[in-house]
Amino acid sequence: RARSFLPQAWLDQTSRITQVVIVGAFVSMWAVLTLGLIRQACLRALLSYHGWLYLPPRKTSYTVMAWGFVVQLLNGPTPSMFSFQRCLPRLPLPPLSKTIDDFLRSMQPILDKSEMEDLQKKAKVFQSEVGPECQRILWLKSWWASNYVTDWWEKYVYLMG
């Protein structure tokens, strides 16, 4: 049946054993990749569970114990440092207006009234001119990278300071 998918010229030039080995290698690679993606999706769903956060201290439930068992089963007994990195859910991208409001609220205690008014004017200009383009770039990066902040943070804040 697999022979119907292969080119006839290739079938004529290679031996039966070589054909079986090559097709077997492709099928094996496909199976390993598929199982890896299924494992990653299952871990992502499991790591999105937050029920254990709401339990009283030093109290465990059967649900949390089953959750931990399945996570350990899917990842193995000794996970490496970043083994869950690709399985974590993406960071949500807050709306531009919320980001600007949070920024202004955080600056209010350290600025006097005139500086705060000036900053609010600049924030309105940013929100109407440059902000939407920056938000669009961040939205695209949030789909491309697992964490849309980390690399810029490391490059421009952590390493420059």
Side-chain angles (χ1 to χ4, degrees):
R1 183 167 181 183
R3 296 172 72 83
S4 62
F5 296 106
L6 301 173
Q8 187 61 37
W10 184 74
L11 290 172
D12 295 339
Q13 294 175 357
T14 56
S15 69
R16 180 85 170 141
I17 294 174
T18 306
Q19 293 171 7
V20 168
V21 168
I22 291 173
V23 170
F26 279 116
V27 168
S28 299
M29 280 193 317
W30 177 83
V32 166
L33 288 174
T34 302
L35 289 175
L37 289 173
I38 291 171
R39 177 185 161 270
Q40 183 176 345
C42 290
L43 277 172
R44 180 172 288 194
L46 285 168
L47 293 175
S48 295
Y49 172 70
H50 299 294
W52 57 272
L53 287 170
Y54 305 110
L55 289 176
R58 301 187 196 327
K59 179 124 173 148
T60 57
S61 69
Y62 290 115
T63 306
V64 173
M65 289 171 41
W67 170 80
F69 175 75
V70 174
V71 168
Q72 187 173 12
L73 182 71
L74 286 173
N75 205 48
T78 56
S80 61
M81 176 82 134
F82 295 109
S83 59
F84 289 117
Q85 190 72 24
R86 295 182 65 208
C87 301
L88 293 174
R90 291 185 309 114
L91 285 177
L93 183 64
L96 180 61
S97 59
K98 182 181 181 331
T99 303
I100 291 174
D101 291 342
D102 290 346
F103 171 69
L104 290 173
R105 192 171 39 256
S106 69
M107 296 304 290
Q108 194 169 9
I110 59 175
L111 297 177
D112 62 20
K113 190 173 183 175
S114 64
E115 290 174 325
M116 190 64 192
E117 289 172 0
D118 184 45
L119 187 61
Q120 287 173 340
K121 289 176 188 173
K122 289 179 182 178
K124 284 184 182 180
V125 170
F126 177 79
Q127 188 170 6
S128 63
E129 293 178 8
V130 181
E133 180 66 19
C134 293
Q135 185 77 0
R136 188 179 69 78
I137 291 169
L138 275 179
W139 181 79
L140 290 172
K141 186 164 184 195
S142 74
W143 281 94
W144 167 60
S146 60
N147 186 336
Y148 59 89
V149 178
T150 302
D151 55 345
W152 289 337
W153 175 265
E154 289 173 352
K155 186 174 181 180
Y156 296 111
V157 177
Y158 182 69
L159 295 177
M160 297 291 258

